[in-house]
């Protein structure tokens, strides 16, 4: 069954921001995951599920192309306010989404995510979830970073590359306004370990948009 989606996210990524000299060799074009339930991409809940399933499908195929086995996250856990799971003893915080390498899961404040969705559109979900799954990929690749900001910017780049692969494969389609939605959302999502809006934690808005654009235009292998 062919996956579809109403949503979508940016296409007119700022090409000028894309100054990488690394080759874009993103060949993976994920097949839509098999599904048996009601239409996806129509509601908050189904967009969440779709963003997670399609992103993991992409990474599964990308890992497979390299002879590696992608390990899906063990849980995709909604929480409310301060009631989220802890990560290695660190309590989760409200208004946030995060990947926890201890347990290999993603958790998100559902009310906060819902608010972003209602106020900014579905692009919020399609930036935040691929970003967090980008951290799950880094964990599996044992990626090493000197600075936390490098880890965050690569996750943004991965998010851009994941989204463009899904758009190219036809799993997702873009709509007018998606670009602004997406770029705005790059400054609005969260991680538990630091303040998402602090430039030294995640990079400036310009840096984040530039690496997202690089991923989008050149694929995740350029990240
Ligand atoms: Zn992050």
């Amino acid at each position: 069954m062919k996956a579809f989606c109403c949503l979508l996210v940016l296409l007119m990524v700022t090409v000028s921001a894309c100054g990488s000299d690394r080759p874009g060799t993103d060949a993976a074009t994920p097949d839509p995951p098999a599904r048996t339930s009601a239409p996806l991409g129509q509601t908050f809940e189904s967009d969440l599920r779709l963003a997670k399933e399609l992103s993991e499908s992409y990474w599964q195929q990308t890992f497979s192309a390299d002879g590696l086995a992608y390990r899906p996250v063990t849980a995709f856990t909604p929480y409310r306010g301060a009631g989220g799971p802890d990560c290695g003893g660190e309590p989760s915080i409200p208004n946030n989404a995060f990947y926890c390498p201890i347990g290999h899961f993603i958790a998100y404040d559902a009310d906060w995510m819902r608010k972003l969705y209602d106020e900014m559109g579905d692009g919020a979900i399609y930036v935040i979830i691929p970003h967090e799954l980008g951290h799950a990929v880094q964990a599996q690749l044992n990626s090493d970073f000197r600075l936390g900001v490098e880890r965050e910017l690569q996750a943004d780049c991965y998010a851009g590359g994941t989204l463009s692969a899904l758009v190219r494969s036809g799993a997702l389609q873009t709509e007018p306004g998606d670009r602004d939605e997406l770029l705005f959302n790059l400054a609005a999502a969260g991680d538990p370990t630091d303040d998402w809006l602090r430039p030294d934690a995640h990079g400036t808005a310009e840096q984040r948009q530039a690496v997202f654009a690089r991923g989008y235009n050149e694929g995740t292998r350029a990240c």
Side-chain angles (χ1 to χ4, degrees), residues 169-186:
S169 75
L172 295 178
Q173 299 166 336
T174 56
E175 292 173 347
D178 286 336
R179 174 179 178 278
D180 290 344
E181 198 176 306
L182 247 188
L183 295 181
F184 185 81
N185 283 316
L186 275 176

Side-chain angles (χ1 to χ4, degrees), residues 97-99 128 131-132 134-135 138 148 151-153 155-156 190-194 196 201-202 208:
F98 64 95
Y99 166 73
I128 294 169
H131 173 99
E132 299 305 336
H135 289 314
Q138 291 168 336
R151 182 185 305 277
E152 295 308 323
L153 290 173
D156 284 339
D191 271 356
T193 51
D194 46 32
W196 183 267
H202 281 85
R208 303 195 65 189

